[in-house]
């Protein structure tokens, strides 16, 4: 079983393809207000968590709130796929802006599991090829996370890892 030790104040990036269990993990490990989810912000700005045209507005809003939280010294989690280097660069820059530790928790589940989950979901209207694309981006990202500036990197490789990982927070 994996235990992640988190400092009292940090900026946590969840990194993983759709269906890897980011939102489920975030719900189990963090308080509701600590988790800023791109899906939730798409709902706030456009009523629809799948509205891709709302992505820029959703992230602008998410970052606005993240800045308010970090200015208050509150641990913050960004629940988005974050499989693209640009998305992660923005997170590391934000952490630096507030002088907090950027932390990555990557969910690197087998692609078969992701595709199987995707097939049984009715809430994700895109094709399985999108999952394969995200899983490919993730695989190429894993080695780079440390060099990108994440000071602590955890990679969870199975559904069981994701379901059982624990977080200990320093106070
Ligand atoms: N799921 C599962 N077993 C788990 C975790 C999740 O079967 N251990 C299923 C959930 O029931 C859900 C789907 O996988 O239907 C996606 O879980 P979620 O936590 O929402 O994954 P995310 O990575 O947040 O997916 P997305 O990026 O699409 O929001």
């Amino acid at each position: 079983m994996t235990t992640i030790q988190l400092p009292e104040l940090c900026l946590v990036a969840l990194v993983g393809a759709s269906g890897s269990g980011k939102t489920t993990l975030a719900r189990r490990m963090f308080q509701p207000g600590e988790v800023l989810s791109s899906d939730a912000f798409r709902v706030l700005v456009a009523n629809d968590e799948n509205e891709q045209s709302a992505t820029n507005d959703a992230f602008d809003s998410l970052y606005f709130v993240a800045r308010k939280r970090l200015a208050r010294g509150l641990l913050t989690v960004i629940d988005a796929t974050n499989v693209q280097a640009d998305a992660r660069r923005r997170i590391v820059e934000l952490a630096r802006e507030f002088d907090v530790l950027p932390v990555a928790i990557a969910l690197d589940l087998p692609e078969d599991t992701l595709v199987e989950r995707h097939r049984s979901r009715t809430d994700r209207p895109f094709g399985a090829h999108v999952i394969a694309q995200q899983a490919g981006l993730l695989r190429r990202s894993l080695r780079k996370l440390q060099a990108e500036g994440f000071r602590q990197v955890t990679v969870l490789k199975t559904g069981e890892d994701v379901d059982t990982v624990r977080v200990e927070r320093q106070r």
Side-chain angles (χ1 to χ4, degrees):
M1 189 180 61
T2 310
T3 301
I4 302 172
Q5 312 254 4
L6 290 181
E8 187 174 9
L9 177 56
C10 57
L11 179 60
V12 180
L14 300 181
V15 185
S18 173
S20 56
K22 302 180 296 294
T23 301
T24 309
L25 175 89
R27 252 190 224 126
R28 188 167 64 73
M29 299 204 309
F30 300 99
Q31 295 173 47
E34 293 177 327
V35 181
L36 305 183
S37 143
S38 54
D39 289 340
F41 276 91
R42 280 197 191 86
V43 171
L44 288 174
V45 302
N47 286 347
D48 179 353
E49 65 177 353
N50 288 301
E51 184 53 66
Q52 297 307 307
S53 74
T55 295
N56 284 346
D57 286 344
F59 276 96
D60 285 354
S61 313
L62 185 156
Y63 269 80
F64 182 84
V65 176
R67 287 199 162 82
K68 297 293 182 194
R69 291 185 54 83
L70 294 173
R72 287 172 178 270
L74 295 174
L75 179 147
T76 299
V77 180
I78 301 194
D79 173 11
T81 55
N82 294 318
V83 292
Q84 281 162 337
D86 280 353
R88 296 191 299 269
R89 187 174 317 124
R90 211 172 158 188
I91 293 172
V92 171
E93 281 170 9
L94 179 65
R96 290 195 177 134
E97 186 183 325
F98 287 90
D99 202 21
V100 306
L101 203 78
V103 170
I105 303 177
L107 292 75
D108 177 28
L109 268 63
E111 205 172 308
D112 295 353
T113 307
L114 298 175
V115 170
E116 200 176 299
R117 283 186 191 173
H118 180 71
R119 292 227 166 90
S120 60
R121 281 176 92 175
T122 51
D123 60 336
R124 288 288 178 261
F126 47 78
H129 68 281
V130 174
I131 307 284
Q133 196 179 32
Q134 292 176 349
L137 282 168
L138 173 77
R139 273 195 302 274
R140 289 191 291 272
S141 302
L142 290 175
R143 254 174 294 125
K144 302 186 216 153
L145 295 172
Q146 210 98 38
E148 286 174 353
F150 290 99
R151 299 280 300 282
Q152 197 179 310
V153 175
T154 303
V155 181
L156 306 168
K157 300 199 80 71
T158 65
E160 196 190 338
D161 275 352
V162 174
D163 288 345
T164 58
V165 63
R166 293 178 52 233
V167 159
E168 274 173 16
R169 288 164 66 159
Q170 285 142 23
R171 306 223 162 254

